[in-house]
DNA sequence: TCGAATTCCAATCATTTTACTTGGAATTAA
DNA sequence: TTAATTCCAAGTAAAATGATTGGAATTCGA
């Protein structure tokens, strides 16, 4: 029941962008280096985030990526859903387009998956990148003296 | 972020055993038929559950499996942890034996995974097989007229 | 104007995991 | 004694994962 690297790397990358929010475009290469991720792999992840409208890109030299919105407007749920697909531990409770099941109305295991899914959604939708920035400072980091992520 | 069939089939099988609790040993074949699971595959899952002490077995003809404890004593969390391994969306927050990470103390993405994990644990540890039996009746099923699971 | 830095795009690939299947030995009720 | 069952160990095809490879398009700065 683990998240793939997509979700994990993706959140790290988005948090990295949050830390540099307002500094102009941040190159993918620098993110990949700080986060110790293969840059070509991260490229694929950030392409999804861009197509979904969570980040903006600037092409060419000195180009890079920026958050498309304020850190307070982007939730962990937004990011995970783009990279991992709709939440739900079972196809029959997938957000948006749950798989058909003959006896969904009478299925009690489905009730369980639904409860778990609701709980996960509530958590991820309640955490914004701004919350993470706040936590980051509480933990004892700061922008000038980054322990990194 | 989906559960594998292990967890999903396993919970169905355990709920099936709950429905037949007190009826003596239930053959794996009959469980597999009702739940539409490959019986040889289910055998592997139930072997794990048996080794973990969640079910008891009776060998030989008319043998089968039974819950090792009352439905009110077995939680969804017990079952999922056996079949899917320790809970945790990232290795660095795995229950029991989290993977080492240099900067775990300063890692704010880790804080996020931890919150999600705590939330999932609370849900799965709060639901017993007895709760599922109760839900099952509320939904409109009963033992004599089973719509099945 | 040119070249370096960058994003963008498409394909390929090795490894691991998943979801089984196969085959048979051991046990026991009838 | 035989049929029904649990128990055990391997093998396997398909999918997913986590990349790598190669190169085209764009743009800043010298």
């Amino acid at each position: 029941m683990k998240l793939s690297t997509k979700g994990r790397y993706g959140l790290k990358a988005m948090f990295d962008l949050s830390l540099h929010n307002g500094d102009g475009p941040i190159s993918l290469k620098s993110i990949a280096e700080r986060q110790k991720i293969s840059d070509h792999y991260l490229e694929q992840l950030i392409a999804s985030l861009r197509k979904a409208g969570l980040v903006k890109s600037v092409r060419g030299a000195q180009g890079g990526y920026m958050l498309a919105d304020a850190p307070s407007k982007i939730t962990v749920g937004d990011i995970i859903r783009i990279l991992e697909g709709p939440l739900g531990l079972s196809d029959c409770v997938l957000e948006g387009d749950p798989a058909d099941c003959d006896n969904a109305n009478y299925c009690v295991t489905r009730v369980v998956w639904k409860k778990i899914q609701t709980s996960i959604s509530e958590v991820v939708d309640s955490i914004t990148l701004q919350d993470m920035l706040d936590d980051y400072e509480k933990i004892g980091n700061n922008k000038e003296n980054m322990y990194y992520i």
Side-chain angles (χ1 to χ4, degrees), chain A:
Chain A
M1 203 222 290
K2 242 173 283 162
L3 227 50
S4 72
T5 51
K6 289 180 191 171
R8 290 188 282 119
Y9 292 176
L11 184 60
K12 276 175 186 277
M14 288 294 280
F15 181 66
D16 191 292
L17 287 179
S18 303
L19 279 170
H20 298 95
N21 196 32
D23 298 354
I26 307 297
S27 79
L28 186 135
K29 201 180 164 194
S30 72
I31 302 175
E33 270 169 13
R34 281 189 296 266
Q35 305 306 329
K36 300 189 182 84
I37 301 172
S38 146
D39 55 354
H40 266 294
Y41 185 48
L42 181 56
E43 197 180 299
Q44 294 170 36
L45 308 185
I46 212 159
S48 304
L49 295 168
R50 181 177 52 80
K51 282 166 193 161
L54 296 186
V55 302
K56 286 183 298 190
S57 64
V58 176
R59 299 190 69 173
Q62 323 311 319
Y65 296 90
M66 293 167 289
L67 294 183
D69 209 339
S72 62
K73 298 293 185 190
I74 301 174
T75 70
V76 172
D78 295 333
I79 298 162
I80 292 185
R81 284 191 185 86
I82 295 303
L83 295 170
E84 300 275 341
L87 297 184
L89 292 190
S90 175
D91 283 336
C92 64
V93 297
L94 278 191
E95 292 175 326
D97 181 31
D100 282 336
C101 173
D102 290 345
N103 57 354
N105 290 335
Y106 301 101
C107 179
V108 86
T109 55
R110 186 172 173 280
V111 173
V112 172
W113 309 137
K114 196 76 192 168
K115 285 178 184 170
I116 299 173
Q117 189 224 39
T118 301
S119 158
I120 296 174
S121 301
E122 280 172 7
V123 174
V124 297
D125 290 336
S126 75
I127 306 175
T128 68
L129 289 174
Q130 184 62 53
D131 293 329
M132 292 179 65
L133 288 171
D134 295 345
D135 280 348
Y136 187 66
E137 290 192 12
K138 260 186 235 158
I139 286 175
N141 300 292
N142 55 66
K143 274 202 182 187
E144 283 66 40
N145 179 23
M146 287 187 195
Y147 281 105
Y148 261 108
I149 307 173

